[in-house]
Amino acid sequence: MARIIAGVAASHIPAVGAAWDNGKADEPYWRPVFKGFERSKEWIARVKPDVCIVVYNDHMSAFSLEIVPTFAIGCAAEFPIADEGWGPRPVPDVVGHPELASHIAQAVIQDDFDLTIVNRMEVDHGLTVPLTLMFGKPKEWPCPIVPIAVNVVVYPVPTGNRCYMLGKAIRKAVESFDKDLRIVIFGTGGMSHQLQGPRAGLINRAFDTRFLDNLAPDPEALVRISHLEYLREAGSEAIELVMWLIMRGALDDRVKEIHRFYHVPASNTALGHIIFENMA
Ligand SMILES: [Fe+2]
């Protein structure tokens, strides 16, 4: 049986990827950011997942306003790196796990969640930056990845509750896969950030801290946060936090916090990161 053993949440700030790619990780501005992931790198090297499911959002790289899937699952064998305007990031292509991804699609769709099946897709910083933060600069990513893309860019976007329930459905799907795989699920994006308008650069540390504090013991409180509340309290792009709730929904009710890191500002946003292991 396949099992989800742990969850990782991490912001996917594009400037963090650019700093890494351009050799700036040791500069005073960026050093604290990457330092916050040193323990995480050690942890994941120890845990050695067989597969990672990475919940992220596409930023108009693979999708566009022409087609806006609410939830999409990448079932391809490989996902090339998207060119987001400066050429593709110099990181390895992402290798998929078509067998597991197709199984999750089958099981989750039969469980009343209508995932869009994507058989060809480029992946952008939403997926690759958390991989860099967790795995550094390997020649190849250490395990296959199942990408799950969530629309948090074009309204209407899914509710936190829908995301949390999808996480539960993904967990059930994984547990009915007949191969022994140890899986880590990532929820990416967030925390508070507002990229445009007069409130650009808004950071609400109290909101972010409350979110981090509640994620393990009381996710049910977080699923009730409305879109308006995310927008008002933590900025327009803070809505990405609903993707953390997919990760949380896929874990046990009781989880152990392994590591937490919060840093402001990184670029003009707050960077949040947390790792949970299932208690079983
Ligand atoms: Fe994003």
Side-chain angles (χ1 to χ4, degrees):
M1 179 182 104
R3 262 181 329 122
I4 294 178
I5 54 168
V8 171
S11 303
H12 59 219
I13 304 164
V16 169
W20 178 264
D21 298 341
N22 294 307
K24 295 183 176 174
D26 262 335
E27 290 186 359
Y29 184 86
W30 292 110
R31 197 181 303 129
V33 168
F34 292 100
K35 205 166 166 11
F37 285 82
E38 276 171 12
R39 273 189 59 198
S40 318
K41 284 197 186 108
E42 287 165 19
W43 172 82
I44 208 153
R46 222 173 29 246
V47 166
K48 281 196 187 50
D50 298 309
V51 181
C52 290
I53 297 173
V54 180
V55 180
Y56 77 109
N57 69 288
D58 177 79
H59 303 75
M60 298 284 168
S61 305
F63 306 125
S64 70
L65 288 175
E66 290 178 11
I67 299 178
V68 184
T70 302
F71 298 116
I73 183 163
C75 295
E78 207 168 68
F79 303 95
I81 307 303
D83 180 349
E84 297 181 69
W86 297 271
R89 287 192 63 213
V91 296
D93 280 352
V94 169
V95 171
H97 197 305
E99 206 188 337
L100 175 64
S102 307
H103 172 83
I104 293 173
Q106 159 81 20
V108 167
I109 290 170
Q110 291 303 308
D111 204 8
D112 299 339
F113 280 89
D114 308 314
L115 300 183
T116 299
I117 293 163
V118 185
N119 292 316
R120 196 175 70 181
M121 179 166 75
E122 295 185 345
V123 289
D124 69 12
H125 71 270
L127 182 134
T128 63
V129 167
L131 293 188
T132 295
L133 288 168
M134 294 302 292
F135 295 118
K137 208 175 212 158
K139 272 209 175 70
E140 292 171 356
W141 298 119
C143 65
I145 306 288
V146 174
I148 295 187
V150 180
N151 168 43
V152 288
V153 173
V154 183
Y155 280 82
V157 304
T159 63
N161 187 55
R162 186 70 175 155
C163 289
Y164 186 62
M165 298 313 288
L166 174 60
K168 289 182 179 294
I170 290 171
R171 178 207 176 116
K172 232 163 84 187
V174 162
E175 290 179 353
S176 65
F177 189 63
D178 63 0
K179 293 218 165 72
D180 280 337
L181 296 176
R182 296 162 62 258
I183 297 173
V184 171
I185 183 165
F186 285 46
T188 74
M191 303 203 83
S192 52
H193 61 311
Q194 166 103 23
L195 300 180
Q196 62 286 306
R199 295 203 316 159
L202 177 142
I203 287 168
N204 184 342
R205 182 188 282 266
F207 178 92
D208 291 343
T209 306
R210 228 173 14 251
F211 198 95
L212 287 162
D213 284 346
N214 278 333
L215 196 54
D218 196 7
E220 311 274 338
L222 300 180
V223 304
R224 291 193 294 271
I225 300 174
S226 68
H227 292 156
L228 195 61
E229 199 175 341
Y230 280 114
L231 192 80
R232 187 184 62 223
E233 297 299 320
S236 53
E237 279 72 38
I239 190 63
E240 290 181 344
L241 284 169
V242 295
M243 297 186 289
W244 292 30
L245 298 173
I246 297 179
M247 175 277 283
R248 182 65 187 91
L251 300 179
D252 289 353
D253 289 344
R254 286 183 62 232
V255 291
K256 183 172 165 204
E257 183 175 323
I258 301 296
H259 177 51
R260 182 197 293 212
F261 176 57
Y262 183 78
H263 179 81
V264 287
S267 183
N268 59 349
T269 78
L271 183 153
H273 171 48
I274 201 158
I275 299 177
F276 296 128
E277 278 180 7
N278 277 337
M279 300 287 260

